[in-house]
Amino acid sequence: MAHNHKHHVHQHTHNIESINSALVIGIILNTLFVVIEAIAGFYYDSLALLSDAGHNLSDVISLILALLAFRLVQMKPTSKYTYGYKKSSILVSLLNAIILLVAVGMILSESIVKIRHPEPIDGNAIAWVAGVGIIINAFTAFLLFRQKGSDLNIKGAYLHMAADTLVSVGVLISGVVIEYTHWYFVDPIIGIVVAVVILYSTWGLLHDSLRLSLDGVPVDINLDEIKGVLLRNEGVEDVHHLHIWGISTTQNALTAHIVVRSTENMEELKHKLKEELYEHNIQHATLELELDSEHCDHKCC
């Protein structure tokens, strides 16, 4: 068991380092891209490029927020914040989902304006800049891909980058089509399609982060299943006052009253139950063991 725990700690440290570097690389690359895109937008007088630069700036903010939350989670608890700043990761994931929804709103409103008033644009220049965007966004998404299941914030940052890769593909296609056909309405239509795709992918992130913000049972945990895990142990009669919530986007906590048959081997039983809960993704368990008679008195009064 000790060896397994040591391996887990080593793996965890390795994950922290790789997530950290992925986010830092992503921030640097995307900041550079925003600067390039803004300069090109002003030079070619292209509203499409300028709005995309604004959208990519929201990605940089998203990555910075994810990195900030990631650093805050590592901070030690204090006398005022006894859980440390772990909850900040949940607030950031909620904020990230909201930023993505605002970006969707901006893309949709701009696309509707462009459908009504199509403007001539330089398709070639747009296609080139979008091509650079595809490379940068796809590379950042690739860096975050392996870790996206481990944390809601990494998932949020990954979704931002994956969605942006789609936006850039859309802009590239519209740039090429516009260059050869001068069908300027293609640009806003692709914008609407991309907005719908982003909205679809963001909905899960919004749902999960809202649920964690309200101390709901984390999505990947089943309350009845956890109760079953506790009840199948010999000596456990009943489980009540069972609460499960997320301390952060990666760590879960549980409190429960466990009704036992006898006071024998209570510590041993408690240790066994905590180990089983740890295997079911519950890292912090507070268990109150009580005898059936105590439970009855407690109920009756």
Side-chain angles (χ1 to χ4, degrees):
M1 182 67 202
H3 170 72
N4 194 25
H5 183 67
K6 207 180 280 183
H7 172 72
H8 175 76
V9 170
H10 173 74
Q11 182 98 22
H12 182 64
T13 311
H14 178 69
N15 281 357
I16 286 173
E17 284 166 10
S18 62
I19 289 170
N20 207 25
S21 53
L23 288 169
V24 171
I25 292 165
I27 289 165
I28 294 165
L29 285 176
N30 283 277
T31 305
L32 276 171
F33 181 53
V34 168
V35 172
I36 292 164
E37 204 170 25
I39 291 166
F42 282 117
Y43 183 79
Y44 291 107
D45 200 23
S46 163
L47 192 66
L49 283 179
L50 284 173
S51 66
D52 199 42
H55 174 62
N56 282 315
L57 188 60
S58 81
D59 283 350
V60 175
I61 294 163
S62 156
L63 289 167
I64 290 169
L65 281 173
L67 185 65
L68 177 70
F70 197 66
R71 293 276 171 88
L72 284 171
V73 165
Q74 314 299 326
M75 288 175 79
K76 299 272 185 288
T78 65
S79 57
K80 283 185 179 161
Y81 294 93
T82 53
Y83 274 131
Y85 299 96
K86 295 186 192 301
K87 200 82 169 182
S88 63
S89 62
I90 293 169
L91 296 176
V92 166
S93 68
L94 184 60
L95 188 59
N96 253 332
I98 292 164
I99 290 171
L100 270 166
L101 290 177
V102 170
V104 165
M106 285 166 70
I107 293 169
L108 282 175
S109 64
E110 204 169 301
S111 298
I112 290 162
V113 169
K114 280 186 189 171
I115 284 173
R116 287 181 177 170
H117 313 286
E119 288 175 10
I121 42 180
D122 186 337
N124 201 20
I126 287 172
W128 271 107
V129 176
V132 176
I134 291 168
I135 294 163
I136 289 174
N137 290 325
F139 180 65
T140 313
F142 169 73
L143 289 177
L144 298 168
F145 178 76
R146 274 180 59 201
Q147 309 293 347
K148 74 175 169 39
S150 64
D151 181 89
L152 209 54
N153 274 310
I154 307 305
K155 185 185 177 183
Y158 167 75
L159 281 175
H160 267 278
M161 301 327 299
D164 257 31
T165 307
L166 277 178
V167 172
S168 297
V169 170
V171 173
L172 175 70
I173 292 166
S174 66
V176 171
V177 171
I178 288 162
E179 184 63 24
Y180 289 101
T181 63
H182 300 294
W183 293 345
Y184 300 119
F185 63 85
V186 170
D187 187 31
I189 286 169
I190 285 179
I192 290 168
V193 171
V194 165
V196 171
V197 172
I198 298 172
L199 185 66
Y200 179 76
S201 63
T202 307
W203 205 249
L205 180 71
L206 182 69
H207 169 266
D208 293 359
S209 50
L210 257 179
R211 189 154 153 177
L212 287 176
S213 302
L214 297 169
D215 282 342
V217 177
V219 179
D220 59 339
I221 289 174
N222 184 314
L223 192 77
D224 293 331
E225 189 188 320
I226 296 297
K227 194 171 182 177
V229 166
L230 295 168
L231 283 170
R232 72 174 178 226
N233 279 275
E234 204 182 327
V236 175
E237 294 274 292
D238 191 22
V239 176
H240 61 108
H241 294 325
L242 178 61
H243 301 283
I244 304 172
W245 71 100
I247 300 171
S248 73
T249 48
T250 53
Q251 291 183 315
N252 303 315
L254 171 149
T255 58
H257 286 211
I258 312 286
V259 181
V260 292
R261 271 183 222 137
S262 74
T263 52
E264 274 182 71
N265 306 324
M266 265 178 138
E267 284 308 307
E268 206 177 292
L269 176 63
K270 193 183 272 194
H271 182 71
K272 185 172 183 284
L273 292 174
K274 285 187 176 185
E275 279 202 347
E276 285 184 8
L277 289 169
Y278 192 87
E279 282 167 20
H280 284 79
N281 201 20
I282 291 166
Q283 292 80 7
H284 302 268
T286 306
L287 305 173
E288 192 175 314
L289 272 56
E290 55 189 41
L291 287 166
D292 202 14
S293 55
E294 290 173 27
H295 175 48
C296 183
D297 292 343
H298 173 69
K299 266 202 306 192
C300 297
C301 67

